[in-house]
């Protein structure tokens, strides 16, 4: 979206940003105007967005791996087609998001290289393994459900390209959660073994999914400025609560038990979960989750083994351009 | 009752549909193995699209085979409960993905055939097969274009890509002859106007393939010894591994609904 | 090793005949043929398109947001260019 060439970063390199411009910028944000790539923006806004959008893109791409793990083993042809289409969608979403990030002046290649070097983060949820078919149902139901909670407010994000990408993503993702829930429903209506498989998957994914919304508001680093800039419209805890309230009745319908015996419904109807183990979250974030190393290794392998293909395409394009120039000169 | 392999009454029509269904499923499965691992995101998208087209074709052809058989089999039983000796696909499509060149050469050889084949099948007297052919022809026309563009780029790209593309052609060439073979049962379907004779497509196929391979500065092997057996269930060692993965859920948990 | 950059392309899609091509997003491709194929594979998976344009991103010249005042504001005062500027009695009917 929009040309990179236009996004010269020179304005940001000036040590002192014009206070008047900054105030004008904030006024536009407050008036719910969208910021577009070539508009002036504070360096910190550009940096925050580049980081957030590229992390989001990395998450989509790394997220292809745990689900891709089951494409070749999906139990029916219908499920196989749906899962492949879903994982393909994640790839498309990664692609849209990289494009949105690129409008801020960093190329996809640079963003990807940072991820492969382990310098950029992606959603920790994808560092957990998919062990059974029920994990595919659970990911669709809960992980995509949590993602949708996060993403719908982002459709109104102050940065135009990000908001537009999210609108497209949300539109396409509407089938993902439904296909996940349908898998769970089929399991829960199936044999005892299938139902146990569904419960086991829920047990393993529940807490990591709650962690997807990020640290509690009291300790979150980025929320203040992100809220001021209308990149983020709800706090981590608000979104987490919304998700829990939406999910509990869905689990009840399936006849599954949320693995939180102390969860209670308060007087206002909200389901209050017990304390989240943030030590685990920090460990996974630090690279010590069950699959961190495997995920990065898989992405690096694809990248390195694809290098000769990308080089071939570039070499051919150069030859073709040369031939066309030669032809035109004749 | 635990389900072992199903039995299929392979009348000529059932066998005909199964062969094409197996081709599409096995190739679609192979391509789906790339999802998340392609050389660039754009190609993850493209290979997944082709895989989805092929899996879609397989489903229609299995359903038709099941209907033609008129017993209790359905698309999933046919896909998940036949063993390697009961699979009827071409040896070409079960060959491992290898590197990107091998995948694309395999796709190119097959799509160049499938495009001609389905176009000719649009005139089948069997209305279901004619309808499947009409849909599949459009899909394979795109698959062929996609693969051709890549063959040209790999062949005429760098020294490394040229060498890899040539190696893939040399390795897969011996699996192309089987596409044009016909047995007696199929001969009868051809006479009845239900199937078409793939032998008549050899010339046009060779023309397309030679043209693109020439543009790619690559060469076709002189060797004309061709491997056979896929249509009769005599496969390479690769298919068994593919099936053990493809069928693992249905084999581990027999008879359940997913 | 850093990866050499693959050119960026802007994608425009006509969703049905009678409508203009609309910008839908961008992609990376080594040349125009691959860009067109990638656009088809990425942006028309749900039957969104009947026609695709791909344009090298570098070929687009954009107006400078800093010029917004002189570029666009002068038009705002020319309200006589809009039909609602003129009064026609109701009895005359739709015009």
């Amino acid at each position: 979206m929009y040309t990179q060439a236009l996004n010269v970063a020179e304005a940001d390199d000036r040590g002192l940003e014009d206070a008047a411009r900054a105030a004008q910028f904030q006024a536009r944000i407050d008036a719910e105007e969208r910021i577009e790539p070539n508009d002036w923006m504070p360096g910190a806004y550009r940096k925050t967005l580049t980081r957030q959008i590229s992390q989001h893109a990395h998450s989509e791409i790394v997220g292809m791996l745990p689900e891709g793990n089951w494409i070749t083993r999906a139990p029916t042809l219908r499920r196989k087609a749906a899962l492949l289409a879903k994982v393909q969608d994640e790839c498309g979403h990664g692609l849209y998001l990289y494009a949105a990030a690129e409008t801020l002046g960093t190329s996809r290649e640079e963003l990807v290289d940072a991820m492969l070097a382990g310098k950029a983060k992606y959603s920790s949820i994808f560092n957990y393994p998919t062990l059974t078919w029920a994990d595919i149902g659970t990911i669709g139901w809960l992980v995509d459900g949590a993602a949708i909670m996060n993403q719908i407010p982002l459709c109104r994000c102050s940065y135009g390209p990000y908001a537009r990408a999210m609108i497209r993503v949300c539109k396409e993702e509407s089938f993902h959660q439904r296909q996940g829930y349908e898998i769970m429903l089929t399991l829960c209506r199936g044999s005892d073994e299938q139902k146990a498989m569904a419960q086991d998957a829920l047990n393993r994914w529940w807490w990591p999914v709650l962690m997807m919304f990020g640290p509690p508001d009291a300790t979150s680093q980025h929320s203040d400025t992100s809220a001021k800039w209308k990149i983020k419209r709800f706090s981590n805890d608000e979104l987490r609560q919304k998700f829990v309230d939406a999910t509990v009745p869905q689990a009840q319908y399936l006849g599954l038990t949320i693995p939180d015996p102390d969860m209670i419904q308060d007087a206002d109807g909200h389901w209050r979960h017990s304390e989240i183990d943030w030590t685990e979250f920090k460990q996974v974030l630090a690279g010590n989750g069950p699959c961190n190393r495997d995920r990065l290794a898989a992405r690096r392998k694809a990248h390195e083994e694809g290098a000769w293909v990308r080089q071939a395409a570039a070499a051919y394009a150069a030859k073709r351009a040369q031939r066309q120039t030669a032809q035109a000169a004749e | 009752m635990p389900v072992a392999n199903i039995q299929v009454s392979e009348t000529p029509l059932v066998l005909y549909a199964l062969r094409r269904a197996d081709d599409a499923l096995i190739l679609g499965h192979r391509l789906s193995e790339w999802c998340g691992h392609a050389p660039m995101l754009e190609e993850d998208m493209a290979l997944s699209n082709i895989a989805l087209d092929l899996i879609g074709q397989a489903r229609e052809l299995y359903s038709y085979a099941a209907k033609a058989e008129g017993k209790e089999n359905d698309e999933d039983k046919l896909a998940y409960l036949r063993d390697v000796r009961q699979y009827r696909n071409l040896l070409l499509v079960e060959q491992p993905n290898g590197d990107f060149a091998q995948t694309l050469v395999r796709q190119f050889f097959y799509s160049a055939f499938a495009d001609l084949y389905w176009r000719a099948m649009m005139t089948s007297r069997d209305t279901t097969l004619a309808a499947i052919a009409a849909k599949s022809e459009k899909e394979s026309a795109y698959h062929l274009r996609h693969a051709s563009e890549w063959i040209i780029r790999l062949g005429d790209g760098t020294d490394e890509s040229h060498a890899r593309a040539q190696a893939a052609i040399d390795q897969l060439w011996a699996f192309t002859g089987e596409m044009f073979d016909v047995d007696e049962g199929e001969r009868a379907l051809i006479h009845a106007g239900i199937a078409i004779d793939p032998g008549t497509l050899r010339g046009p196929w060779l023309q397309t393939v030679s043209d693109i391979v020439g543009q790619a500065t690559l060469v076709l092997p002189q060797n004309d010894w061709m491997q056979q057996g896929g249509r009769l269930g005599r496969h390479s060692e690769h298919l068994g591994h593919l099936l053990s993965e493809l069928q693992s859920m249905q084999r581990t948990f027999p008879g359940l609904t997913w | 090793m850093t990866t050499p950059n693959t050119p960026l392309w802007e994608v425009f899609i006509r969703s049905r005949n009678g409508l203009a091509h609309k910008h839908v997003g961008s992609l990376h491709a080594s040349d125009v043929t691959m860009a067109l194929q990638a656009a088809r594979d990425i942006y028309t998976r749900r039957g969104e398109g009947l026609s695709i344009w791909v344009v090298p991103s570098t070929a687009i010249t954009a107006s400078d947001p800093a010029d917004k005042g002189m570029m666009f504001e002068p038009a705002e005062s020319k309200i006589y260019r809009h039909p609602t500027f003129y009064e026609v009695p109701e009895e005359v009917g739709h015009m």
Side-chain angles (χ1 to χ4, degrees):
Chain A
M1 311 180 183
Y2 303 90
T3 159
Q4 266 172 285
L6 295 168
N7 294 302
V8 278
E10 56 179 316
D12 307 325
D13 296 335
R14 292 176 199 159
L16 233 172
E17 274 167 0
D18 187 347
R21 277 174 137 183
Q24 211 174 28
F25 174 83
Q26 190 58 47
R28 288 184 63 194
I29 300 251
D30 293 342
E32 293 289 333
E33 266 187 56
R34 292 285 178 273
I35 306 302
E36 292 298 338
N38 303 317
D39 293 344
W40 184 89
M41 61 186 85
Y45 179 83
R46 186 185 299 276
K47 214 171 131 187
T48 302
L49 272 170
T50 304
R51 190 190 57 232
Q52 180 173 336
I53 303 173
S54 62
Q55 281 180 9
H56 196 161
H58 303 328
S59 302
E60 299 280 356
I61 301 307
V62 176
M64 294 171 75
L65 299 170
E67 289 184 280
N69 184 35
W70 279 88
I71 291 172
T72 54
R73 289 180 290 166
T76 69
L77 294 181
R78 177 174 176 267
R79 293 283 182 221
K80 192 183 187 69
L83 181 59
L84 178 54
K86 177 179 189 277
V87 179
Q88 184 198 37
D89 271 354
E90 315 291 3
C91 181
H93 299 167
L95 215 144
Y96 308 154
L97 286 161
Y98 280 128
E102 286 190 275
T103 63
L104 292 159
T106 314
S107 72
R108 188 205 288 182
E109 285 84 354
E110 277 176 80
L111 298 170
V112 168
D113 284 345
M115 190 257 285
L116 296 178
K119 285 186 238 156
K121 295 207 178 335
Y122 56 85
S123 179
S124 284
I125 195 75
F126 301 119
N127 289 317
Y128 291 87
T130 50
L131 302 181
T132 71
W133 175 248
D135 291 32
I136 298 307
T138 309
I139 288 183
W141 171 37
L142 298 182
V143 176
D144 286 278
I148 290 167
M149 286 284 169
N150 260 319
Q151 288 171 353
I152 286 179
L154 285 172
C155 296
R156 294 187 296 130
C157 161
S158 63
Y159 188 56
Y162 193 23
R164 288 193 287 278
M166 289 322 300
I167 288 170
R168 202 178 172 92
V169 167
C170 286
K171 215 156 104 187
E172 293 188 354
E173 264 192 5
S174 52
F175 97 82
H176 294 185
Q177 195 186 12
R178 290 172 67 104
Q179 70 97 34
Y181 196 72
E182 195 194 84
I183 290 174
M184 296 307 272
L185 199 57
T186 312
L187 292 174
C188 291
R189 286 175 177 166
S191 69
D192 289 349
E193 208 173 6
Q194 284 174 303
K195 199 162 175 183
M197 192 189 273
Q199 182 65 55
D200 167 62
L202 175 59
N203 293 349
R204 281 181 289 114
W205 289 93
W206 176 253
W207 293 105
V209 166
L210 291 194
M211 295 175 202
M212 278 176 73
F213 295 93
D217 296 348
T219 63
S220 180
Q221 306 166 12
H222 309 298
S223 291
D224 280 356
T225 41
S226 288
K228 189 182 85 178
W229 285 331
K230 299 203 172 154
I231 295 171
K232 197 176 170 112
R233 288 174 181 268
F234 295 97
S235 77
N236 294 353
D237 288 337
E238 280 170 337
L239 288 171
R240 188 166 17 240
Q241 188 58 52
K242 234 169 124 172
F243 171 78
V244 172
D245 288 340
T247 306
V248 171
Q250 293 165 358
Q252 286 171 340
Y253 184 82
L254 292 172
L256 295 176
T257 311
I258 304 271
D260 181 359
D262 297 330
M263 180 182 269
I264 48 154
Q265 194 171 23
D266 67 15
D268 300 327
H270 293 299
W271 290 94
R272 302 294 177 188
H273 58 83
S274 34
E275 200 62 38
I276 294 171
D277 177 8
W278 293 108
T279 341
E280 176 181 326
F281 178 74
K282 278 178 201 142
Q283 282 300 326
V284 178
L285 208 63
N288 296 321
C291 299
N292 295 56
R293 286 168 183 81
D294 292 342
R295 300 294 183 236
L296 263 188
R299 286 313 306 163
R300 281 183 192 141
K301 183 166 183 278
H303 187 75
E304 283 159 18
E305 290 181 357
W308 70 269
V309 179
R310 297 189 295 275
Q311 282 157 8
Y316 177 81
K319 284 186 203 176
R320 185 157 102 162
Q322 217 167 30
R323 280 173 210 149
Q324 277 164 351
T325 318
Q327 247 172 13
E330 273 169 23
Chain B
M1 263 303 277
V3 191
N5 296 323
I6 54 163
Q7 295 306 313
V8 183
S9 314
E10 290 183 337
T11 64
L13 183 60
V14 171
L15 183 57
Y16 174 86
L18 274 183
R19 284 171 170 168
R20 272 77 212 172
D22 289 347
D23 285 347
L25 177 63
I26 299 302
L27 188 55
H29 183 97
R30 279 290 186 225
L31 291 173
S32 78
E33 293 172 0
W34 273 104
C35 187
H37 309 279
M40 58 205 77
L41 300 182
E42 282 76 2
E43 216 45 41
D44 273 300
M45 302 297 293
L47 295 176
S48 298
N49 271 346
I50 300 172
L52 285 167
D53 285 344
L54 290 167
I55 292 167
Q57 292 173 12
R59 293 183 65 186
E60 289 181 15
L61 287 158
Y62 282 134
S63 294
Y64 187 57
K67 200 176 142 214
E69 191 196 10
K71 298 203 175 147
E72 283 180 354
N73 291 325
D74 57 26
E75 59 170 37
D76 286 329
K77 285 186 181 158
L78 289 170
Y80 290 93
L81 298 176
R82 284 178 304 140
D83 76 5
V84 70
R85 298 284 284 121
Q86 295 173 291
Y87 258 77
R88 304 295 180 209
N89 59 279
L90 298 165
L91 297 172
L92 175 69
V93 296
E94 73 198 41
Q95 297 308 305
N97 284 341
D99 64 11
F100 190 71
Q102 284 181 54
T103 292
L104 266 295
V105 168
R106 183 184 66 198
Q107 194 62 42
F108 172 61
F109 284 159
Y110 178 78
S111 300
F113 172 77
D115 186 39
L116 292 165
Y117 188 82
W118 291 123
R119 201 179 311 152
M121 275 298 291
M122 286 162 68
T123 61
S124 169
R125 282 201 193 141
D126 183 311
T127 49
T128 309
L129 290 176
I132 292 174
K135 180 167 168 284
S136 304
E137 191 275 328
K138 290 192 193 81
E139 293 170 344
S140 51
Y142 185 77
H143 303 170
L144 174 59
R145 178 186 293 187
H146 170 266
S148 301
E149 293 295 346
W150 269 115
I151 299 304
I152 292 169
R153 278 156 188 77
L154 298 183
D156 195 15
T158 62
D159 289 346
E160 180 180 5
S161 69
H162 180 90
R164 285 175 184 264
Q166 188 61 56
I169 288 175
D170 296 346
Q171 183 172 335
L172 293 168
W173 180 247
F175 298 110
T176 58
E178 202 182 14
M179 296 190 289
F180 307 101
D181 290 350
V182 172
D183 63 9
E184 261 175 57
E186 201 162 311
R187 184 71 61 197
L189 294 178
I190 294 167
H191 284 309
I194 291 170
I196 61 105
D197 184 354
T200 61
L201 305 177
R202 191 191 294 268
W205 178 81
L206 195 58
Q207 179 115 41
T208 306
V209 168
S210 310
D211 174 41
I212 298 296
V213 164
Q215 284 185 54
T217 71
L218 298 162
V219 289
L220 293 178
Q222 294 300 311
N223 181 6
D224 57 2
W225 170 255
M226 291 291 161
Q227 299 291 342
Q228 281 168 324
R231 292 293 188 222
L232 302 172
R234 286 199 308 270
H235 292 278
S236 62
E237 288 179 350
H238 306 296
L239 185 64
H241 294 282
L242 185 156
L243 293 181
S244 65
E245 199 171 334
L246 171 78
Q247 301 178 338
S248 61
M249 287 293 290
Q250 293 283 356
R251 300 293 191 179
T252 313
F253 305 98
L256 299 183
T257 304
W258 300 95
Chain C
M1 195 182 85
T2 53
T3 317
N5 289 8
T6 308
L8 192 65
W9 304 76
E10 301 305 317
V11 182
F12 300 81
I13 290 188
R14 185 204 294 285
S15 54
R16 55 192 166 84
N17 278 345
L19 295 183
H21 286 74
K22 194 177 161 218
H23 184 245
V24 294
S26 42
L27 54 85
H28 288 255
S30 54
D31 59 51
V32 67
T33 314
M34 299 310 254
L36 201 56
Q37 284 186 183
R40 179 261 192 197
D41 281 321
I42 295 161
Y43 289 105
T44 68
R45 307 201 301 293
R46 286 172 170 80
E48 296 97 329
L50 282 179
S51 164
I52 303 176
W53 291 347
V54 287
V55 179
S57 302
T58 49
I60 292 177
T61 308
S63 61
D64 186 340
D67 296 340
K68 203 170 74 177
M70 70 169 174
M71 291 282 278
F72 308 113
E73 274 171 32
E76 280 169 23
S77 59
K78 316 294 195 288
I79 50 172
Y80 42 79
R81 286 196 173 112
H82 299 281
T84 45
F85 180 74
Y86 303 94
E87 271 184 40
V88 176
E90 234 169 77
E91 304 90 276
V92 181
H94 180 73
M95 187 179 278

